[in-house]
């Protein structure tokens, strides 16, 4: 077991000039948003046009940057080449609901069913996965927009990242199935109708374009030269356990794991016999868990970021974190 960083965050990113989609995962509160912000700032300083985006319903990016970036891509003050965007989940959900309502209404009319679409819409949208799926679609839309050189995503901790990305596979299966039954329904209808003219089928068109978008996303997200998922942890039991599980899942899904970032490690040189017990105990605890980290994530540790005397807020503070993350 080597207790040092083999390939640093900086080396990893520099070696992959085509890297375009960068994600941060990990347990709640470990510093994902901070690392996403620091990475975005560092990349922008390299001259890349960077989009720092969040699908997190909590207004974390605006808070981090000290600037309102909610609802639309916004240039970050004082940082050339950097834009930030907190996606309005509520708005997306409303729009998705409307879209689904239109499609269902069209379908009911097509099938000569006289029921109100609302009931169908409610049952289609009243499930917990709907919000996540709307967020995923948003992310894909941004990714496929191709307006920036690099996209850094601060993924929400609750939005189970694996499910989010694994979803594209499920979508594809589902859409193919839907398409098949739509085809059957359509030929049956054409068979029964006297007029043989082909009718426009907006639902089918939608499903096809949806499947294609998801397929594209899947291709991009599984390409290790384009995509990297970094996992943030603390030198503590639970955050380590959480990312160990994540990394396993990601390997199973063929989603590229960029590596592990250890955050909030107390600088030992600041601690001595006279330091309070509380501090010395924490340092001992972190030292023990660092053994775990080196062992479990062999060759995957990219950076160790110290615990600062203050929270990380504002671009100046993020620049300092970036210097440590990309040392
Ligand atoms: N190295 C550090 N030193 C000091 N404070 C830090 C450090 N890294 C992060 N923080 C602070 O820890 C808190 C949590 O960080 P952050 O919001 O980035 O975590 P998160 O993983 O995104 O949380 P959530 O799961 O809620 O989205 C913030 O107040 C942040 O300023
Ligand atoms: Mg966060």
């Amino acid at each position: 077991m080597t207790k040092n960083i083999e390939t640093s965050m900086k080396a990893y990113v520099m070696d992959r000039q085509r890297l375009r989609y960068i994600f941060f995962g990990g347990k709640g509160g470990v510093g994902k948003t901070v690392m996403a912000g620091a990475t975005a700032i560092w990349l922008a300083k390299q001259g890349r046009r960077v989009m720092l985006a969040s699908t997190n319903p909590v207004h974390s990016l605006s808070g981090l940057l000290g600037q309102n970036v909610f609802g639309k891509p916004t240039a970050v003050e004082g940082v050339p080449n950097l834009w930030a965007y907190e996606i309005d989940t509520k708005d997306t959900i409303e729009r998705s609901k409307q879209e689904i309502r239109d499609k269902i209404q069209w379908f009911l009319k097509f099938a000569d069913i006289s029921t109100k679409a609302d009931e169908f819409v409610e049952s289609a949208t009243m499930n917990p996965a709907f919000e996540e799926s709307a967020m995923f679609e948003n992310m894909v839309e941004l990714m496929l927009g191709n307006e920036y050189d690099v996209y850094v995503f601060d993924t929400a901790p609750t939005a189970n990242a694996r499910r989010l990305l694994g979803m594209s596979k499920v979508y594809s299966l589902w859409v193919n199935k839907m398409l098949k039954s739509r085809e059957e329904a359509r030929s049956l209808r054409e068979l029964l109708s006297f007029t043989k003219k082909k009718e426009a089928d907006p639902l089918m068109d939608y499903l096809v374009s949806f499947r294609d978008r998801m397929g594209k996303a899947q291709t991009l997200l599984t390409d290790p030269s384009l995509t990297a998922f970094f996992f943030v942890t603390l030198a503590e039991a639970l955050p380590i356990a959480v990312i160990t599980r994540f990394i396993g899942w990601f390997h199973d899904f063929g989603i590229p794991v960029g590596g592990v970032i250890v955050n909030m490690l107390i600088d030992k040189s600041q601690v001595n016999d006279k330091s309070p017990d509380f501090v010395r105990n924490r340092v001992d605890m972190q030292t023990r868990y660092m053994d775990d980290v080196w062992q479990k994530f062999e060759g995957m540790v990219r950076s160790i970021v110290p615990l600062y005397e203050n929270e990380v807020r504002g671009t100046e503070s993020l620049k300092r974190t970036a210097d440590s993350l990309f040392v």
Side-chain angles (χ1 to χ4, degrees):
M1 175 175 76
T2 46
K3 292 191 180 187
N4 58 12
I5 292 172
E6 289 166 25
T7 307
S8 68
M9 186 73 176
K10 188 173 177 179
Y12 187 94
V13 172
M14 299 270 262
D15 285 351
R16 289 166 183 74
Q17 287 296 321
R18 292 179 62 221
L19 208 56
R20 261 170 88 76
Y21 310 108
I22 301 176
F23 297 83
F24 291 87
K27 191 179 174 298
V30 295
K32 298 178 293 293
T33 304
V34 163
M35 294 308 155
T39 301
I41 281 200
W42 188 83
L43 287 164
K45 220 172 111 193
Q46 313 298 305
R48 318 280 295 276
R49 288 166 47 87
V50 183
M51 164 50 70
L52 170 62
S54 171
T55 53
N56 195 329
V58 185
H59 294 231
S60 48
L61 283 186
S62 294
L64 179 73
L65 299 167
Q67 183 189 339
N68 181 16
V69 298
F70 185 72
K72 62 171 191 297
T74 310
V76 176
E77 286 156 23
V79 187
N81 296 323
L82 179 61
W83 287 261
Y85 178 20
E86 253 168 355
I87 297 168
D88 183 350
T89 323
K90 254 206 192 123
D91 180 58
T92 312
I93 290 171
E94 274 319 307
R95 268 193 298 136
S96 301
K97 271 192 182 168
Q98 189 52 50
E99 225 171 79
I100 288 181
R101 178 173 295 125
D102 295 345
K103 303 286 182 306
I104 290 179
Q105 245 148 14
W106 176 87
F107 178 75
L108 292 178
K109 212 173 128 229
F110 166 90
D112 275 337
I113 301 171
S114 56
T115 315
K116 284 216 174 74
D118 286 352
E119 289 164 36
F120 284 88
V121 176
E122 276 312 304
S123 59
T125 56
M126 284 289 283
N127 75 68
F130 186 77
E131 186 167 331
E132 269 181 80
S133 124
M135 275 157 54
F136 186 82
E137 273 209 69
N138 254 172
M139 188 185 90
V140 170
E141 194 180 310
L142 196 61
M143 283 172 62
L144 299 181
N146 272 334
E147 283 178 53
Y148 302 88
D149 298 329
V150 189
Y151 297 80
V152 181
F153 287 98
D154 159 30
T155 40
T158 45
N160 182 328
R162 170 186 72 146
R163 199 156 88 212
L164 221 56
L165 296 178
M167 221 174 243
S168 59
K169 263 188 195 166
V170 180
Y171 272 140
S172 191
L173 286 175
W174 177 74
V175 170
N176 284 342
K177 216 176 145 112
M178 286 287 284
L179 282 175
K180 201 160 162 264
S181 40
R182 297 285 308 117
E183 257 317 337
E184 283 164 12
R186 182 150 90 169
S187 30
L188 193 66
R189 192 179 148 91
E190 272 162 14
L191 218 64
L192 292 176
S193 69
F194 293 102
T195 56
K196 284 281 180 202
K197 75 173 170 47
K198 269 212 184 266
E199 292 179 53
D201 186 342
L203 186 60
M204 181 99 103
D205 293 347
Y206 170 78
L207 288 174
V208 169
S209 97
F210 186 70
R211 183 195 53 187
D212 293 350
R213 265 182 298 149
M214 290 301 138
K216 264 190 209 143
Q218 165 99 19
T219 308
L220 298 177
L221 290 171
T222 50
D223 181 342
S225 65
L226 294 177
T227 296
F229 237 97
F230 293 98
F231 293 97
V232 185
T233 189
L234 311 181
E236 277 176 37
L238 283 181
I240 293 173
V242 165
I243 70 164
T244 305
R245 219 164 47 225
F246 277 0
I247 291 172
W249 286 339
F250 276 56
H251 281 145
D252 293 348
F253 269 92
I255 297 161
V257 175
V260 171
I261 293 156
V262 181
N263 190 19
M264 304 195 208
L265 201 71
I266 298 171
D267 178 4
K268 277 189 197 168
S269 70
Q270 306 243 1
V271 181
N272 56 38
D273 296 347
K274 296 196 186 62
S275 302
D277 282 354
F278 168 77
V279 176
R280 284 190 291 114
N281 284 342
R282 285 206 81 80
V283 168
D284 287 346
M285 177 200 72
Q286 290 194 334
T287 307
R288 280 200 312 278
Y289 281 114
M290 277 314 287
D291 279 343
D292 265 14
V293 166
W294 293 120
Q295 198 193 338
K296 284 202 161 109
F297 312 120
E298 199 176 351
M300 290 172 69
V301 179
R302 301 278 168 254
S303 191
I304 298 176
V305 176
L307 175 69
Y308 297 117
E309 67 285 354
N310 252 314
E311 62 184 347
V312 181
R313 280 196 83 162
T315 48
E316 282 317 306
S317 162
L318 275 173
K319 278 179 192 157
R320 173 167 108 162
T321 310
D323 287 340
S324 164
L325 180 59
F326 287 84
V327 71

